[in-house]
Amino acid sequence: MPKKKDVFIIEENLGDLFAPLPAPVPKATSEAERLTIERALATIVRQMEISGNRPRTISDYGIYVKHFEAATGLTFIDEITSDHVYDWLEGMDVSNQTKLTRVKCLKAFLSRCFDNGWIATRFWKKINVKVDGRIKEGATERDIRVLLSVLDLGDFVQLRDATATLLMYKTGIRINTIVLLENKHIDFSAKLLRLDGAIMKNHSELLLPFDDTLCRLLTVLIKQNEAVRRAYGVKNNYVFITKQGGIISNSPTHNNIQKRLNKYAKQYGLKNINPHALRRGFAKSLLNKGANIAQISKALGHSNLAVTTQYLHLDKEEIAENLRKYL
């Protein structure tokens, strides 16, 4: 017999029935009828939550839209113009890369306002910030060997960190996927990560192979996890857990693994030991071993090959040398 409160729970996902659609912008007859930036942001945040957007993405919307609102002194959505956006950018004492990140977020917010029918034209489309094309380097095999050689694999936390580091470098999975990884996602018999859409940024399933070294590390770690959870009376099936057996935060500022990787990088002089560098290192390693960009893009879970090329850290000389092979 189901509990009474259960009858109010809708199990079927109906979120796709009410996606925002472009609509005519109504002419406000009074200030009370005009849509404020604050109200627009609240509605869009709600839409994003229902659509399953990442908490970090939703948080960025709130931070940068509120910063724009405060810096420009604007109140209503229909007041915003290109000049306001340029003034906002000009007033920032930050790098162009940071400006680009912020304006992309604001433009995404304005696009959602347009889709909801609150803005008549996409006036922000041509607004951009030029950034030098400096490509970030990825982790190297040497970086990984140095780090693993100094970690004590007899210590639970260091074993966890070593396994997570090697897993990111050997499979390219994101740190947010790492913290959501469960025992069910690891197929030891086939030596495969079977990643379902629920833990992937692009919501697509992905199969990624792993080697004997990772197989051994994961086997030992999972066994140790059970002992930790029993000691603290915690029940879950996560592969990477805290010292008390709980789930690791996926917030960059509170993620245990990410913070400890930063600590190791400073302690041992390893500049490319961080989640993004490990992912880039995975991509470059595949390229060096003969994988084509389409295969690398699929392994990284990218939907755009242009994004994949940014991970490969190819300089002009290297490109020229590679092209020589086809002459």
Side-chain angles (χ1 to χ4, degrees):
M1 178 69 66
K3 296 180 180 179
K4 289 182 179 178
K5 64 180 181 180
D6 291 342
V7 301
F8 300 109
I9 301 173
I10 310 300
E11 294 184 357
E12 185 174 351
N13 181 10
L14 303 175
D16 59 332
L17 295 180
F18 304 104
L21 296 173
V25 180
K27 294 183 179 180
T29 57
S30 70
E31 187 169 288
E33 295 178 18
R34 295 169 70 190
L35 182 65
T36 64
I37 297 173
E38 182 181 4
R39 283 174 53 208
L41 177 60
T43 300
I44 287 172
V45 164
R46 178 59 179 157
Q47 290 172 340
M48 293 174 73
E49 289 172 342
I50 292 174
S51 298
N53 289 89
R54 292 187 304 158
R56 175 68 184 275
T57 302
I58 296 173
S59 173
D60 285 348
Y61 266 61
I63 291 171
Y64 299 130
V65 172
K66 289 176 182 177
H67 185 274
F68 172 80
E69 182 181 15
T72 59
L74 299 177
T75 301
F76 301 102
I77 285 292
D78 58 18
E79 294 179 305
I80 303 174
T81 66
S82 296
D83 287 341
H84 291 122
V85 179
Y86 281 119
D87 288 344
W88 176 57
L89 291 170
E90 188 177 348
M92 296 181 195
D93 186 19
V94 296
S95 69
N96 278 3
Q97 181 62 60
T98 300
K99 288 183 180 181
L100 180 61
T101 300
R102 294 179 180 180
V103 79
K104 280 183 176 179
C105 189
L106 180 65
K107 289 168 71 174
F109 165 76
L110 292 173
S111 292
R112 288 179 178 270
C113 288
F114 177 84
D115 290 342
N116 284 327
W118 303 331
I119 297 178
T121 62
R122 296 178 182 267
F123 61 83
W124 57 89
K125 292 293 286 184
K126 295 183 179 180
I127 299 175
N128 211 337
V129 178
K130 291 185 178 180
V131 179
D132 294 336
R134 183 177 66 85
I135 303 175
K136 296 180 180 178
E137 295 184 22
T140 65
E141 196 78 38
R142 178 191 171 279
D143 295 326
I144 302 301
R145 285 203 307 267
V146 171
L147 178 60
L148 297 184
S149 71
V150 295
L151 293 183
D152 178 6
L153 301 186
D155 174 78
F156 170 69
V157 171
Q158 294 185 60
L159 169 65
R160 178 201 69 189
D161 296 344
T163 307
T165 300
L166 196 59
L167 193 61
M168 285 187 278
Y169 181 71
K170 291 287 190 178
T171 68
I173 61 176
R174 297 177 173 87
I175 186 68
N176 285 349
T177 302
I178 281 280
V179 301
L180 296 174
L181 199 67
E182 297 185 53
N183 296 344
K184 67 180 181 179
H185 296 123
I186 301 178
D187 183 343
F188 283 104
S189 60
K191 293 180 185 174
L192 277 175
L193 294 183
R194 297 185 180 275
L195 306 174
D196 57 62
I199 67 171
M200 300 294 289
K201 181 180 179 180
N202 63 359
H203 306 297
S204 297
E205 296 181 2
L206 188 62
L207 298 179
L208 293 169
F210 55 84
D211 59 18
D212 291 338
T213 301
L214 268 171
C215 186
R216 185 176 176 188
L217 285 173
L218 286 165
T219 300
V220 174
L221 179 64
I222 288 174
K223 181 179 178 181
Q224 193 62 35
N225 285 344
E226 294 304 320
V228 172
R229 282 190 281 255
R230 282 197 303 271
Y232 285 92
V234 177
K235 292 184 178 181
N236 63 57
N237 290 301
Y238 293 111
V239 176
F240 297 97
I241 58 177
T242 66
K243 290 189 295 185
Q244 291 76 37
I247 185 173
I248 292 173
S249 169
N250 63 6
S251 165
T253 56
H254 295 91
N255 184 292
N256 303 57
I257 296 175
Q258 187 159 334
K259 289 170 70 175
R260 288 184 66 85
L261 288 184
N262 292 336
K263 175 186 173 183
Y264 297 142
K266 292 178 181 177
Q267 186 174 355
Y268 302 114
L270 302 169
K271 66 176 182 178
N272 291 320
I273 293 295
N274 62 71
H276 285 298
L278 293 169
R279 188 165 156 82
R280 291 174 187 275
F282 164 73
K284 188 64 180 293
S285 176
L286 285 182
L287 184 70
N288 292 340
K289 293 173 182 176
N292 61 49
I293 292 181
Q295 292 170 322
I296 297 171
S297 184
K298 185 66 176 178
L300 290 169
H302 288 161
S303 57
N304 188 337
L305 289 178
V307 177
T308 305
T309 59
Q310 296 175 15
Y311 276 68
L312 299 178
H313 189 237
L314 294 172
D315 58 30
K316 289 178 289 187
E317 288 76 14
E318 189 173 0
I319 292 173
E321 190 59 33
N322 288 339
L323 289 175
R324 193 179 301 279
K325 302 172 184 177
Y326 300 99
L327 294 178

